[in-house]
Amino acid sequence: MDLPKEIRYRAYSDWSTEERAAIAENVNKSPWHVTYHIEPKTGLLNDPNGFSFFNGKYTLFYQNWPFGAAHGLKEWVHTESEDLVHFHTTGAELLPDTKHDSHGAYSGSAYEIDGKLFLFYTGNVRDKNWVRDPLQIGAWMDKDHKITKCKDVLIQQPSDVTEHFRDPQIFKYDDQFYAIVGAQSPEKSGFIKLYKALDNNVENWEEVGNLDFGGTGSEYMIECPNLVFVDGKPVLLYCPQGLDKAELDYQNIYPNTYKVCQTFDTKIPKLVNPSTINNLDYGFEAYATQGFNAPDGRALIVSWIGLPDIDYPTDQYDYQGALSLVKELSIKDGKLYQYPVEAITSLRSSSEPLADKAETANIYELEVTFAADQVSELLLFADDKGNGLRLTVDTANGKVILDRSKAGVQYATDFGQTRECDIEPTETTANIFVDRSIVEIFINKGEKVFTSRVFPEAGQSGIQLTAGETTGTYFELTK
Ligand code: FRU
């Protein structure tokens, strides 16, 4: 939603109790609230931030402008979970309240060090002429969730980047702390800088160099770079804005992509033998995916189910955006898989064989098998007039197509109303998670993923098996 700067950058303390209550009341009117996903209490949610393991629990923050469905003065909102499925907000927030983050506590990451959680993030600062000074700054959160900011800027804007320099990800490799930061060159191409913590002091960073990951630089900016290790292999997740479509076929305004690499040479610095660039997600919206290696080694990721610069049907209710399920990465036969963590099955409260259903609560999981050599079709969020979200699985020619053109309230139609990907032409499975206005589809247990919003009209909650031989199970989900 377009709102004037004066509103979007108004100090938090200037919003009265009455104004906050009116916004909350409007949010409550939405028919599209999700149940087992994270969405903002009010306002706009975008990137997942600070995903980490701290004090025996998983910590996950999200970017939020709490006063409406627009990108304004951002803060981080803290949530916690023991099982990576049930998250609750703790009330802790990283606020834009110092001269180093005066125009937003932008995205970043976190790492537990000596009993405290170190938050490494971008302070968005603008001067009177609205010229931006992107600062990489830090804070410490203690076990009572009290946040104390570091006094000094940790990384200043280097001379070879523009004002687009943000989203530090801290990680440990060979017992050494490193950070990568998304950047734009003066020639307007996107790249990634690598830093190293001197003596492993995370308040003292030294530049190692520009990370060679086999990128062509056709993108004008790289947002939210993340390096995680899957079976010892470095996997780079990143958001290359403006990427040339000759390099990668994508339809969303900006893609979220990955490369699987062989080794990490910290000296050059270089990700050795990177794969070609791939779409991380084939759905209508998944962006700013953040990952980290948990203490047990698992590479866990979570995505923003939303995109920059898009208006959503929930905007009229003063909120926008949600986070995806937490997904675990694995590599099988050289391919990257992403699948919800095992504990997701704890949401299953009842099950029955998959068959047509005139109505549901739109809160369920389907586990489906599509037989080989045929074209199958499923209609979700269906009504009796033939409307719905159409999933076509063509196991003869090896294609999956998701068609949103007749599914609920239409938006972002300029970017197309279908999404598709190739699969092996053979029997195929899908696990489909529906949560009122979210659908997450995992083909072949995460070999390909489609993450999307759908905003059904009243009565659009049926399931129809409209073509092909489809068998499976319908699970009702309860948080
Ligand atoms: C990505 C992003 C980040 C930035 C944050 C601001 O969606 O633009 O690059 O830090 O959002 O909210």
Side-chain angles (χ1 to χ4, degrees):
M1 184 181 281
D2 248 357
L3 288 178
K5 235 163 44 189
E6 299 70 53
I7 297 185
R8 290 186 289 119
Y9 288 89
R10 212 172 135 190
Y12 282 28
S13 54
D14 282 355
W15 291 84
S16 68
T17 313
E18 292 73 26
E19 282 173 313
R20 289 167 189 257
I23 294 167
E25 199 181 316
N26 195 26
V27 173
N28 277 336
K29 289 184 189 146
S30 165
W32 292 308
H33 286 297
V34 297
T35 63
Y36 60 92
H37 285 80
I38 294 176
E39 64 179 7
K41 281 210 170 92
T42 57
L44 183 142
L45 168 155
N46 57 312
D47 310 357
N49 289 160
F51 193 20
S52 54
F53 190 74
F54 171 51
N55 196 22
K57 291 184 189 140
Y58 296 95
T59 269
L60 175 58
F61 295 83
Y62 59 81
Q63 283 277 284
N64 185 210
W65 182 60
F67 305 110
H71 291 269
L73 185 55
K74 298 282 173 67
E75 63 166 333
W76 291 26
V77 175
H78 183 231
T79 78
E80 250 178 17
S81 175
E82 288 184 12
D83 63 359
L84 291 167
V85 172
H86 299 83
F87 284 88
H88 69 273
T89 42
T90 63
E93 290 168 352
L94 178 70
L95 292 163
D97 59 1
T98 68
K99 65 173 191 216
H100 292 150
D101 53 17
S102 56
H103 290 68
Y106 273 12
S107 287
S109 53
Y111 206 103
E112 179 171 4
I113 300 168
D114 298 334
K116 285 192 178 164
L117 191 66
F118 176 66
L119 312 180
F120 199 8
Y121 68 107
T122 301
N124 185 42
V125 174
R126 289 186 182 273
D127 68 11
K128 279 201 280 318
N129 301 317
W130 211 247
V131 175
R132 178 186 264 152
D133 189 10
L135 306 173
Q136 313 313 316
I137 53 181
W140 294 91
M141 184 166 84
D142 70 15
K143 290 183 176 167
D144 300 320
H145 303 146
K146 191 169 160 292
I147 294 173
T148 309
K149 293 186 180 176
C150 304
K151 268 209 312 293
D152 297 326
V153 172
L154 305 185
I155 301 175
Q156 299 278 0
Q157 179 179 356
S159 57
D160 58 345
V161 307
T162 68
E163 53 156 1
H164 293 293
F165 178 57
R166 55 182 177 265
D167 311 335
Q169 184 220 4
I170 181 173
F171 59 97
K172 219 175 203 182
Y173 183 74
D174 275 351
D175 276 330
Q176 166 68 47
F177 280 118
Y178 291 94
I180 50 175
V181 186
Q184 179 183 64
S185 71
E187 296 75 36
K188 306 277 185 290
S189 70
F191 68 107
I192 297 170
K193 274 207 179 285
L194 179 73
Y195 291 83
K196 180 179 174 177
L198 290 177
D199 300 323
N200 264 343
N201 172 1
V202 296
E203 296 196 28
N204 192 4
W205 294 91
E206 174 189 70
E207 180 175 330
V208 182
N210 298 343
L211 181 66
D212 177 357
F213 60 96
T216 63
S218 82
E219 63 277 309
Y220 59 77
M221 168 63 185
I222 289 180
E223 293 191 312
C224 304
N226 276 253
L227 192 59
V228 290
F229 295 84
V230 184
D231 300 335
K233 290 204 162 65
V235 175
L236 183 69
L237 311 167
Y238 59 114
C239 298
Q241 294 186 308
L243 186 78
D244 190 334
K245 290 196 178 172
E247 244 185 279
L248 180 76
D249 190 17
Y250 65 94
Q251 275 181 280
N252 294 347
I253 183 167
Y254 310 123
N256 200 164
T257 60
Y258 73 89
K259 285 187 174 210
V260 178
C261 312
Q262 293 308 312
T263 52
F264 178 30
D265 184 329
T266 58
K267 299 251 154 44
I268 297 182
K270 182 183 168 95
L271 290 169
V272 181
N273 281 335
S275 68
T276 53
I277 186 167
N278 295 288
N279 280 304
L280 185 64
D281 200 291
Y282 291 86
F284 290 89
E285 46 252 301
Y287 197 72
T289 300
Q290 185 168 77
F292 82 107
N293 283 100
D296 61 12
R298 284 181 302 166
L300 301 171
I301 64 166
V302 58
S303 312
W304 169 26
I305 310 183
L307 287 168
D309 309 328
I310 303 281
D311 290 334
Y312 280 83
T314 54
D315 292 4
Q316 58 179 308
Y317 298 112
D318 287 327
Y319 78 106
Q320 186 191 115
L323 294 185
S324 73
L325 299 174
V326 172
K327 299 162 278 194
E328 185 181 339
L329 295 181
S330 59
I331 296 177
K332 285 177 217 148
D333 300 330
K335 286 189 211 152
L336 187 75
Y337 281 69
Q338 346 161 29
Y339 197 72
V341 292
E342 178 61 28
I344 196 70
T345 56
S346 68
L347 297 180
R348 294 174 174 177
S349 50
S350 70
S351 69
E352 56 191 80
L354 177 63
D356 282 10
K357 276 175 109 55
E359 56 183 283
T360 70
N362 275 338
I363 307 170
Y364 58 81
E365 176 191 349
L366 303 181
E367 187 160 69
V368 194
T369 302
F370 302 96
D373 277 325
Q374 56 159 342
V375 181
S376 307
E377 253 177 36
L378 267 183
L379 206 58
L380 310 176
F381 301 92
D383 63 17
D384 52 13
K385 296 181 200 73
N387 295 308
L389 178 72
R390 188 175 303 273
L391 177 69
T392 306
V393 180
D394 180 345
T395 56
N397 299 297
K399 213 166 234 350
V400 176
I401 304 170
L402 188 66
D403 181 344
R404 198 166 67 171
S405 63
K406 291 204 168 72
V409 178
Q410 297 295 300
Y411 66 100
T413 50
D414 291 354
F415 298 93
Q417 289 164 292
T418 60
R419 294 290 185 270
E420 59 177 67
C421 76
D422 293 335
I423 52 168
E424 293 297 317
T426 177
E427 183 182 277
T428 299
T429 68
N431 286 72
I432 304 172
F433 295 86
V434 167
D435 190 4
R436 287 220 180 119
S437 57
I438 288 176
V439 59
E440 291 181 76
I441 302 173
F442 297 89
I443 303 294
N444 292 331
K445 295 274 174 189
E447 185 186 345
K448 296 280 164 67
V449 182
F450 289 76
T451 303
S452 299
R453 298 304 298 255
V454 178
F455 298 95
E457 314 259 16
Q460 298 185 331
S461 69
I463 299 172
Q464 292 168 21
L465 283 58
T466 44
E469 195 190 312
T470 309
T471 53
T473 309
Y474 166 89
F475 298 96
E476 227 164 59
L477 300 184
T478 309
K479 197 183 166 190

